[in-house]
């Protein structure tokens, strides 16, 4: 089971500004299909909480830098 968050909810959870998530993290660190989805092909983004928390924890534990891959795995850069 996955928990989906809006951009505003994610910003509150990870203490980042909504604009930072949209302008700097989306599509560079947070990848579509891995960290977020666009339900029904629309413009709205829903972020996958568990995936984001997992990748934040991995990076924070000194295992980074990691590059998330489209299949859900990671490449160690």
């Amino acid at each position: 089971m996955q928990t989906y968050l809006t951009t505003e909810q994610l910003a509150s959870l990870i203490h980042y500004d909504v604009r930072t998530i949209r302008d700097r993290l989306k599509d560079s660190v947070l990848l579509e299909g891995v960290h977020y989805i666009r339900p029904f092909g629309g413009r709205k983004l829903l972020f996958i909480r568990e995936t984001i928390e997992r990748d934040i924890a991995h990076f924070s534990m000194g295992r980074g830098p990691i590059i998330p891959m489209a299949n859900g795995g990671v490449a160690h850069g």
Side-chain angles (χ1 to χ4, degrees), residues 27-40:
D27 296 328
S28 62
V29 176
L30 302 175
L31 303 175
E32 186 171 4
V34 177
H35 299 105
Y36 72 92
I37 61 169
R38 294 176 189 267
F40 311 111

Side-chain angles (χ1 to χ4, degrees), residues 5-22:
L5 304 171
T6 64
T7 307
E8 292 78 12
Q9 290 170 324
L10 178 63
S12 175
L13 179 71
I14 64 172
H15 306 287
Y16 273 79
D17 188 78
V18 171
R19 290 187 69 190
T20 301
I21 292 171
R22 286 188 187 133

